[in-house]
PDB file of all heavy atoms in Angstrom:
ATOM      1  N   ILE S  67     115.774 105.979 112.097  1.00  0.00           N
ATOM      2  CA  ILE S  67     116.550 106.312 110.923  1.00  0.00           C
ATOM      3  C   ILE S  67     115.886 107.524 110.222  1.00  0.00           C
ATOM      4  O   ILE S  67     114.713 107.481 109.996  1.00  0.00           O
ATOM      5  CB  ILE S  67     116.818 105.259 110.039  1.00  0.00           C
ATOM      6  CG1 ILE S  67     117.453 104.011 110.716  1.00  0.00           C
ATOM      7  CG2 ILE S  67     117.560 105.597 108.732  1.00  0.00           C
ATOM      8  CD1 ILE S  67     117.574 102.697 109.898  1.00  0.00           C
ATOM      9  N   VAL S  68     116.718 108.476 109.821  1.00  0.00           N
ATOM     10  CA  VAL S  68     116.189 109.549 109.014  1.00  0.00           C
ATOM     11  C   VAL S  68     117.124 109.587 107.811  1.00  0.00           C
ATOM     12  O   VAL S  68     118.318 109.625 107.885  1.00  0.00           O
ATOM     13  CB  VAL S  68     116.341 110.934 109.787  1.00  0.00           C
ATOM     14  CG1 VAL S  68     116.019 112.076 108.870  1.00  0.00           C
ATOM     15  CG2 VAL S  68     115.356 110.976 110.981  1.00  0.00           C
ATOM     16  N   ILE S  69     116.412 109.681 106.681  1.00  0.00           N
ATOM     17  CA  ILE S  69     117.140 109.758 105.322  1.00  0.00           C
ATOM     18  C   ILE S  69     116.572 111.079 104.657  1.00  0.00           C
ATOM     19  O   ILE S  69     115.429 111.154 104.384  1.00  0.00           O
ATOM     20  CB  ILE S  69     116.835 108.576 104.451  1.00  0.00           C
ATOM     21  CG1 ILE S  69     117.286 107.308 105.196  1.00  0.00           C
ATOM     22  CG2 ILE S  69     117.752 108.758 103.163  1.00  0.00           C
ATOM     23  CD1 ILE S  69     116.953 106.041 104.435  1.00  0.00           C
ATOM     24  N   VAL S  70     117.477 111.967 104.424  1.00  0.00           N
ATOM     25  CA  VAL S  70     117.166 113.285 103.771  1.00  0.00           C
ATOM     26  C   VAL S  70     117.569 113.189 102.277  1.00  0.00           C
ATOM     27  O   VAL S  70     118.658 112.950 102.009  1.00  0.00           O
ATOM     28  CB  VAL S  70     117.808 114.453 104.492  1.00  0.00           C
ATOM     29  CG1 VAL S  70     117.708 115.738 103.715  1.00  0.00           C
ATOM     30  CG2 VAL S  70     117.311 114.588 105.903  1.00  0.00           C
ATOM     31  N   PHE S  71     116.523 113.560 101.387  1.00  0.00           N
ATOM     32  CA  PHE S  71     116.833 113.622 100.011  1.00  0.00           C
ATOM     33  C   PHE S  71     116.666 115.111  99.562  1.00  0.00           C
ATOM     34  O   PHE S  71     115.533 115.650  99.759  1.00  0.00           O
ATOM     35  CB  PHE S  71     115.912 112.739  99.226  1.00  0.00           C
ATOM     36  CG  PHE S  71     116.288 111.243  99.226  1.00  0.00           C
ATOM     37  CD1 PHE S  71     115.634 110.393 100.113  1.00  0.00           C
ATOM     38  CD2 PHE S  71     117.316 110.829  98.433  1.00  0.00           C
ATOM     39  CE1 PHE S  71     115.965 109.107 100.134  1.00  0.00           C
ATOM     40  CE2 PHE S  71     117.717 109.538  98.548  1.00  0.00           C
ATOM     41  CZ  PHE S  71     117.030 108.651  99.342  1.00  0.00           C
ATOM     42  N   GLU S  72     117.675 115.756  99.172  1.00  0.00           N
ATOM     43  CA  GLU S  72     117.684 117.059  98.494  1.00  0.00           C
ATOM     44  C   GLU S  72     118.299 116.904  97.162  1.00  0.00           C
ATOM     45  O   GLU S  72     118.794 115.935  96.646  1.00  0.00           O
ATOM     46  CB  GLU S  72     118.445 117.964  99.320  1.00  0.00           C
ATOM     47  CG  GLU S  72     117.843 118.257 100.777  1.00  0.00           C
ATOM     48  CD  GLU S  72     116.586 119.167 100.590  1.00  0.00           C
ATOM     49  OE1 GLU S  72     116.386 119.836  99.549  1.00  0.00           O
ATOM     50  OE2 GLU S  72     115.806 119.191 101.554  1.00  0.00           O
ATOM     51  N   GLY S  73     118.267 118.036  96.343  1.00  0.00           N
ATOM     52  CA  GLY S  73     118.906 118.002  95.108  1.00  0.00           C
ATOM     53  C   GLY S  73     118.203 118.917  94.070  1.00  0.00           C
ATOM     54  O   GLY S  73     117.307 119.665  94.349  1.00  0.00           O
ATOM     55  N   ARG S  74     118.761 118.966  92.820  1.00  0.00           N
ATOM     56  CA  ARG S  74     118.157 119.687  91.822  1.00  0.00           C
ATOM     57  C   ARG S  74     116.764 119.243  91.415  1.00  0.00           C
ATOM     58  O   ARG S  74     116.395 118.023  91.646  1.00  0.00           O
ATOM     59  CB  ARG S  74     119.099 119.603  90.587  1.00  0.00           C
ATOM     60  CG  ARG S  74     120.484 120.112  90.656  1.00  0.00           C
ATOM     61  CD  ARG S  74     120.504 121.600  90.450  1.00  0.00           C
ATOM     62  NE  ARG S  74     121.925 122.013  90.312  1.00  0.00           N
ATOM     63  CZ  ARG S  74     122.178 123.419  90.197  1.00  0.00           C
ATOM     64  NH1 ARG S  74     121.275 124.251  90.074  1.00  0.00           N
ATOM     65  NH2 ARG S  74     123.472 123.701  90.123  1.00  0.00           N
ATOM     66  N   ASP S  75     115.967 120.108  90.913  1.00  0.00           N
ATOM     67  CA  ASP S  75     114.677 119.716  90.348  1.00  0.00           C
ATOM     68  C   ASP S  75     114.917 118.845  89.150  1.00  0.00           C
ATOM     69  O   ASP S  75     115.763 119.085  88.373  1.00  0.00           O
ATOM     70  CB  ASP S  75     113.817 120.882  89.950  1.00  0.00           C
ATOM     71  CG  ASP S  75     113.309 121.703  91.146  1.00  0.00           C
ATOM     72  OD1 ASP S  75     112.783 121.047  92.151  1.00  0.00           O
ATOM     73  OD2 ASP S  75     113.529 122.925  91.195  1.00  0.00           O
ATOM     74  N   ALA S  76     114.097 117.691  89.103  1.00  0.00           N
ATOM     75  CA  ALA S  76     114.149 116.730  87.984  1.00  0.00           C
ATOM     76  C   ALA S  76     115.423 115.891  88.178  1.00  0.00           C
ATOM     77  O   ALA S  76     115.837 115.198  87.236  1.00  0.00           O
ATOM     78  CB  ALA S  76     114.199 117.307  86.612  1.00  0.00           C
ATOM     79  N   ALA S  77     116.055 115.928  89.375  1.00  0.00           N
ATOM     80  CA  ALA S  77     117.293 115.027  89.477  1.00  0.00           C
ATOM     81  C   ALA S  77     116.975 113.482  89.782  1.00  0.00           C
ATOM     82  O   ALA S  77     117.853 112.716  89.832  1.00  0.00           O
ATOM     83  CB  ALA S  77     118.149 115.614  90.591  1.00  0.00           C
ATOM     84  N   GLY S  78     115.699 113.293  90.164  1.00  0.00           N
ATOM     85  CA  GLY S  78     115.301 111.868  90.312  1.00  0.00           C
ATOM     86  C   GLY S  78     115.137 111.494  91.820  1.00  0.00           C
ATOM     87  O   GLY S  78     115.242 110.194  92.087  1.00  0.00           O
ATOM     88  N   LYS S  79     114.856 112.391  92.618  1.00  0.00           N
ATOM     89  CA  LYS S  79     114.672 112.082  94.036  1.00  0.00           C
ATOM     90  C   LYS S  79     113.463 111.092  94.186  1.00  0.00           C
ATOM     91  O   LYS S  79     113.576 110.124  94.930  1.00  0.00           O
ATOM     92  CB  LYS S  79     114.429 113.308  94.884  1.00  0.00           C
ATOM     93  CG  LYS S  79     115.615 114.333  94.989  1.00  0.00           C
ATOM     94  CD  LYS S  79     115.271 115.437  95.821  1.00  0.00           C
ATOM     95  CE  LYS S  79     114.244 116.433  95.192  1.00  0.00           C
ATOM     96  NZ  LYS S  79     114.632 117.034  93.915  1.00  0.00           N
ATOM     97  N   GLY S  80     112.394 111.441  93.589  1.00  0.00           N
ATOM     98  CA  GLY S  80     111.161 110.620  93.610  1.00  0.00           C
ATOM     99  C   GLY S  80     111.465 109.222  93.201  1.00  0.00           C
ATOM    100  O   GLY S  80     110.892 108.295  93.832  1.00  0.00           O
ATOM    101  N   GLY S  81     112.226 109.038  92.175  1.00  0.00           N
ATOM    102  CA  GLY S  81     112.475 107.644  91.691  1.00  0.00           C
ATOM    103  C   GLY S  81     113.243 106.819  92.665  1.00  0.00           C
ATOM    104  O   GLY S  81     113.029 105.630  92.798  1.00  0.00           O
ATOM    105  N   VAL S  82     114.204 107.466  93.352  1.00  0.00           N
ATOM    106  CA  VAL S  82     115.039 106.637  94.318  1.00  0.00           C
ATOM    107  C   VAL S  82     114.118 106.341  95.481  1.00  0.00           C
ATOM    108  O   VAL S  82     114.142 105.198  95.964  1.00  0.00           O
ATOM    109  CB  VAL S  82     116.209 107.560  94.829  1.00  0.00           C
ATOM    110  CG1 VAL S  82     116.994 106.833  95.990  1.00  0.00           C
ATOM    111  CG2 VAL S  82     117.245 107.861  93.616  1.00  0.00           C
ATOM    112  N   ILE S  83     113.382 107.290  95.983  1.00  0.00           N
ATOM    113  CA  ILE S  83     112.399 107.089  97.087  1.00  0.00           C
ATOM    114  C   ILE S  83     111.413 105.973  96.746  1.00  0.00           C
ATOM    115  O   ILE S  83     111.115 105.119  97.609  1.00  0.00           O
ATOM    116  CB  ILE S  83     111.728 108.367  97.585  1.00  0.00           C
ATOM    117  CG1 ILE S  83     112.824 109.353  98.090  1.00  0.00           C
ATOM    118  CG2 ILE S  83     110.653 108.050  98.555  1.00  0.00           C
ATOM    119  CD1 ILE S  83     112.247 110.745  98.365  1.00  0.00           C
ATOM    120  N   LYS S  84     110.800 105.982  95.540  1.00  0.00           N
ATOM    121  CA  LYS S  84     109.853 104.972  95.236  1.00  0.00           C
ATOM    122  C   LYS S  84     110.411 103.562  95.238  1.00  0.00           C
ATOM    123  O   LYS S  84     109.838 102.650  95.773  1.00  0.00           O
ATOM    124  CB  LYS S  84     109.343 105.197  93.821  1.00  0.00           C
ATOM    125  CG  LYS S  84     108.469 104.156  93.263  1.00  0.00           C
ATOM    126  CD  LYS S  84     107.897 104.559  91.878  1.00  0.00           C
ATOM    127  CE  LYS S  84     106.881 103.485  91.369  1.00  0.00           C
ATOM    128  NZ  LYS S  84     106.358 103.749  89.969  1.00  0.00           N
ATOM    129  N   ARG S  85     111.692 103.487  94.585  1.00  0.00           N
ATOM    130  CA  ARG S  85     112.338 102.085  94.652  1.00  0.00           C
ATOM    131  C   ARG S  85     112.735 101.651  96.051  1.00  0.00           C
ATOM    132  O   ARG S  85     112.869 100.506  96.414  1.00  0.00           O
ATOM    133  CB  ARG S  85     113.494 102.074  93.757  1.00  0.00           C
ATOM    134  CG  ARG S  85     113.201 101.784  92.317  1.00  0.00           C
ATOM    135  CD  ARG S  85     112.417 102.996  91.656  1.00  0.00           C
ATOM    136  NE  ARG S  85     111.979 102.617  90.275  1.00  0.00           N
ATOM    137  CZ  ARG S  85     111.282 103.528  89.586  1.00  0.00           C
ATOM    138  NH1 ARG S  85     111.017 104.746  90.039  1.00  0.00           N
ATOM    139  NH2 ARG S  85     110.904 103.165  88.404  1.00  0.00           N
TER     140      ARG S  85
END
Side-chain angles (χ1 to χ4, degrees):
I67 299 171
V68 171
I69 307 174
V70 169
F71 283 100
E72 292 287 342
R74 297 277 190 181
D75 289 312
K79 294 182 294 297
V82 176
I83 293 171
K84 179 181 178 181
R85 274 69 185 184

